[in-house]
Amino acid sequence: MITFETWNETPELPIFPESSDTKGASEVLNWAYDHYGDDLVYACSFGIEGIVLLELISRVKPDAKIIFLDTNYHFKETYETIEKVKIRYPQLTIHMQQPALTIAEQAEKFGVDLWKTEPNKCCDIRKVQPLEKAISPSVAWISGLRKEQSETRKATEYLNVDQRFKKIKVCPLIHWTWKDVWRFVHKHQLDYNVLHDQGYPSIGCETCTKPAFTEEDLRSGRWTGSDKTECGLHTD
């Protein structure tokens, strides 16, 4: 089994066909679940890429473990999307991972609206630390990163050494374009967050997400007005 501890710079990995119907995603998921089994978990934000991955994962492992980082700052539409997913895929195990601090406890300790005064600290408390706890028993985790999403994600590969969490990070959708994602969603009539139809290509916490300014940068609506581009889950 390939783990964080056994990874080296030239591991012997299978070749995943980018030319397949799912641009290698189905093959990657089949390999990953065959390789890691129950030691593989999917951390899903329930954005549009997540909806695609949930469909593909359900075909490979219907009872897969799914983690949602419930910051308690999410849009109501996000929670509504999760409920629809539960109905569509009743066998999936969806765990709503909570932060160690409630919003009130966080405000008492660090001040009101930490997301505004220290967004990196807020993300660390409500996303990074909860994910670290949630995936600690696992060897590998799945992410919906795509190369096209931003400059910081262009170097993402199917299998990545995650220095931050000391895991192997599996990214099946790296070669998918925005159009590929939506074609798949419409072809299979999948439920998705309605905010995507209102100018939100990337959906995070309600406090820190606005409609995108440009189609060239699908994450431009995240942390508008600051130089912050990532919540910390995908940075070493």
Side-chain angles (χ1 to χ4, degrees):
M1 178 186 292
I2 298 172
T3 68
F4 176 85
E5 291 77 15
T6 62
W7 181 278
N8 58 64
E9 292 184 359
T10 56
E12 292 185 11
L13 300 175
I15 297 175
F16 303 113
E18 298 173 24
S19 60
S20 68
D21 290 343
T22 61
K23 291 192 169 183
S26 293
E27 290 81 3
V28 170
L29 288 169
N30 272 292
W31 178 89
Y33 278 109
D34 182 63
H35 194 71
Y36 293 111
D38 290 334
D39 287 323
L40 178 65
V41 64
Y42 175 33
C44 182
S45 66
F46 290 86
I48 199 64
E49 288 88 1
I51 295 301
V52 169
L53 276 174
L54 287 167
E55 171 65 19
L56 294 175
I57 288 171
S58 72
R59 300 176 184 181
V60 177
K61 188 170 176 59
D63 61 345
K65 300 175 186 176
I66 312 298
I67 294 169
F68 175 67
L69 302 178
D70 189 2
T71 65
N72 302 127
Y73 277 124
H74 288 290
F75 290 91
K76 67 177 180 62
E77 289 86 352
T78 300
Y79 293 109
E80 290 168 356
T81 303
I82 294 172
E83 292 307 308
K84 292 177 182 177
V85 167
K86 288 180 179 178
I87 293 171
R88 189 179 186 101
Y89 309 106
Q91 289 182 272
L92 290 179
T93 302
I94 300 176
H95 175 64
M96 308 286 278
Q97 182 70 35
Q98 300 291 325
L101 300 176
T102 66
I103 290 176
E105 289 169 339
Q106 179 174 294
E108 182 178 356
K109 189 171 183 179
F110 298 105
V112 178
D113 294 344
L114 186 63
W115 56 269
K116 184 186 299 183
T117 59
E118 294 185 72
N120 287 332
K121 191 174 193 67
C122 188
C123 283
D124 184 61
I125 293 170
R126 312 202 76 75
K127 286 188 175 181
V128 178
Q129 293 179 32
L131 180 62
E132 186 170 29
K133 180 179 179 180
I135 68 175
S136 61
S138 304
V139 175
W141 66 293
I142 298 170
S143 173
L145 297 185
R146 295 184 296 109
K147 288 177 178 288
E148 181 192 62
Q149 285 174 320
S150 67
E151 285 296 322
T152 59
R153 299 182 176 186
K154 282 186 175 180
T156 307
E157 300 296 340
Y158 285 129
L159 300 179
N160 307 268
V161 179
D162 187 337
Q163 299 288 349
R164 174 64 183 81
F165 297 108
K166 304 295 187 288
K167 307 289 181 186
I168 297 300
K169 182 162 63 176
V170 183
C171 300
L173 300 181
I174 56 171
H175 295 298
W176 287 49
T177 66
W178 187 238
K179 288 183 178 180
D180 291 331
V181 170
W182 280 102
R183 286 192 191 104
F184 186 88
V185 168
H186 290 310
K187 178 181 179 179
H188 299 284
Q189 298 182 320
L190 303 180
D191 295 311
Y192 61 86
N193 195 322
V194 296
L195 290 176
H196 286 305
D197 294 332
Q198 300 172 31
Y200 293 81
S202 179
I203 303 170
C205 293
E206 184 172 9
T207 51
C208 304
T209 307
K210 297 183 182 300
F213 289 122
T214 169
E215 290 185 4
E216 281 68 45
D217 185 354
L218 296 174
R219 292 179 57 80
S220 62
R222 304 293 293 277
W223 303 286
T224 304
S226 75
D227 58 0
K228 182 175 171 62
T229 59
E230 295 282 357
C231 63
L233 301 182
H234 306 293
T235 54
D236 293 336

